[in-house]
Amino acid sequence: MNLNQLRYFVTLAETESFTKAAVAHYISQTAITQQIKSLEEAVGSKLINRESRPISLTPAGKVFLKEAREILERMDTALWRTREASTGLEGSLRIGYTKGYERSDISKHLRNFHREYPNVLLSCYRCDTDMLAAGLLNGEYDIIFTWDSTNILQEENISLKVFENVPLRVALYANHRLARRKELSRRDLKQENILFMSPSGTGESFGDAYYIQLYQQAGYQPKILLRSSDMESILMMVAAEEGISIVPEYSHPWDVGTENVVFVPLAGEGETEEILVAWRENDDNPALKHFIEMLK
């Protein structure tokens, strides 16, 4: 028994004619007669009453017609879903992003992609850069949005591009002497206690080194009270007036505990957070290819 035999049988039942069924499938009447006979032998029951005019189905044939139609319908559905999955229209996409970046425009991009490909499940994961890099390399994520990470930059099988350069802001408690300034530079922060916002849980990433260098170029070594990749905790400490911090623009104003926090633009060359989007070159997930194309 094969799918062609099922199709011939359904057409024969609908047209009530071997001749019409043969024409519909562009084969000879002899061929379709032989195929129906083979089908009956495989089923072990007579399906067609050939003595009636027009031909008709036997009781067994009526039962088999319903089953044959359902089989063909399920097969068509399976083929359609397979084709959809192969073009990225159905499947899943695992997206990792650096802590705090959920407040950026990333949700807009996810929403636009979901509207175009509603059958692709978007699973999102919030981590620091170390976990994001490890997760991408280990195949836990299909694509990540991250700060500069030494691990990612050194991997040859990773593709990446700069997704955006996010302006930085100085987070100060409301009664701080600099809170009313329209903008600040790192030179203005020389005497301040710094709560250092780090892209890495270890504090040893390329991003950490880059921002320490900016302090040094401003003429001093910063007085760092705390290093953390947890933006919410840093802003809570700023609100408690324990120190100040430099954070990306997307970090406010929706953070918990920021009712006593003021954000002032940070002026100066290179005062941005570079967000990279990275993925494995050998990842053959069709949904990933569509997502990358949309980001372009």
Side-chain angles (χ1 to χ4, degrees), residues 121-136:
L121 174 64
L122 300 177
S123 301
C124 298
Y125 304 88
R126 179 178 181 267
C127 309
D128 62 36
T129 60
D130 302 317
M131 294 181 65
L132 287 175
L136 181 65

Side-chain angles (χ1 to χ4, degrees), residues 3-291:
L3 291 177
N4 280 337
Q5 290 175 342
L6 295 182
R7 294 187 180 97
Y8 298 155
F9 172 72
V10 170
T11 303
L12 179 60
E14 291 173 348
T15 62
E16 299 179 331
S17 167
F18 279 97
T19 301
K20 292 180 181 180
V23 170
H25 290 282
Y26 302 98
I27 61 175
S28 67
Q29 182 174 335
T30 301
I32 202 166
T33 300
Q34 291 174 344
Q35 289 295 320
I36 296 300
K37 184 177 180 180
S38 297
L39 178 63
E40 289 177 322
E41 291 174 355
V43 173
S45 179
K46 187 177 181 181
L47 303 175
I48 302 295
N49 182 358
R50 294 167 174 78
E51 296 178 358
S52 65
R53 291 293 181 273
I55 62 171
S56 60
L57 298 179
T58 65
K62 293 178 180 179
V63 172
F64 190 74
L65 176 62
K66 178 177 180 297
E67 300 299 327
R69 282 172 170 161
E70 291 181 357
I71 291 172
L72 292 173
E73 183 177 350
R74 287 197 297 272
M75 178 56 68
D76 288 341
T77 299
L79 291 174
W80 175 79
R81 287 181 174 174
T82 300
R83 294 189 191 103
E84 294 289 90
S86 69
T87 57
L89 299 180
E90 184 170 295
S92 63
L93 189 64
R94 299 161 301 170
I95 302 170
Y97 60 92
T98 189
K99 288 181 178 179
Y101 200 56
E102 67 273 9
R103 300 178 185 84
S104 69
D105 287 340
I106 187 175
S107 60
K108 179 183 70 176
H109 296 289
L110 300 184
R111 182 170 61 252
N112 291 340
F113 183 82
H114 174 68
R115 287 174 176 173
E116 187 166 353
Y117 302 106
N119 293 325
V120 175
L121 174 64
L122 300 177
S123 301
C124 298
Y125 304 88
R126 179 178 181 267
C127 309
D128 62 36
T129 60
D130 302 317
M131 294 181 65
L132 287 175
L136 181 65
L137 294 172
N138 294 333
E140 297 173 19
Y141 313 126
D142 294 301
I143 190 169
I144 61 172
F145 293 81
T146 185
W147 292 28
D148 281 344
S149 170
T150 304
N151 293 336
I152 292 295
L153 295 175
Q154 290 180 343
E155 292 296 329
E156 294 181 355
N157 65 335
I158 296 297
S159 293
L160 54 85
K161 65 187 291 288
V162 176
F163 183 63
E164 66 171 322
N165 285 287
V166 182
L168 297 178
R169 300 285 183 264
V170 182
L172 310 108
Y173 43 92
N175 64 351
H176 191 281
R177 62 185 180 83
L178 300 175
R180 297 183 182 278
R181 296 274 292 273
K182 292 185 178 180
E183 69 175 25
L184 294 167
S185 70
R186 284 190 192 259
R187 291 183 183 275
D188 298 320
L189 310 180
K190 184 175 182 178
Q191 304 301 322
E192 302 298 328
N193 293 322
I194 303 296
L195 304 168
F196 190 86
M197 179 65 199
S198 171
S200 167
T202 64
E204 298 177 352
S205 74
F206 177 81
D208 290 296
Y210 173 76
Y211 291 117
I212 291 297
Q213 185 179 26
L214 289 181
Y215 280 111
Q216 294 170 344
Q217 290 174 355
Y220 66 98
Q221 194 70 20
K223 297 191 296 182
I224 297 178
L225 295 183
L226 171 80
R227 289 176 182 260
S228 175
S229 61
D230 189 336
M231 190 178 302
E232 287 82 359
S233 294
I234 284 181
L235 291 175
M236 286 283 285
M237 294 177 70
V238 173
E241 303 184 2
E242 294 190 55
I244 70 170
S245 186
I246 295 177
V247 296
E249 186 179 56
Y250 57 72
S251 65
H252 60 86
W254 304 282
D255 301 274
V256 176
T258 58
E259 68 279 358
N260 190 39
V261 179
V262 174
F263 297 91
V264 179
L266 183 62
E269 184 178 354
E271 297 293 5
T272 61
E273 176 188 298
E274 188 176 68
I275 294 293
L276 301 174
V277 57
W279 63 93
R280 296 185 308 281
E281 291 181 353
N282 61 356
D283 192 330
D284 59 358
N285 183 349
L288 173 62
K289 294 177 173 58
H290 284 284
F291 187 72

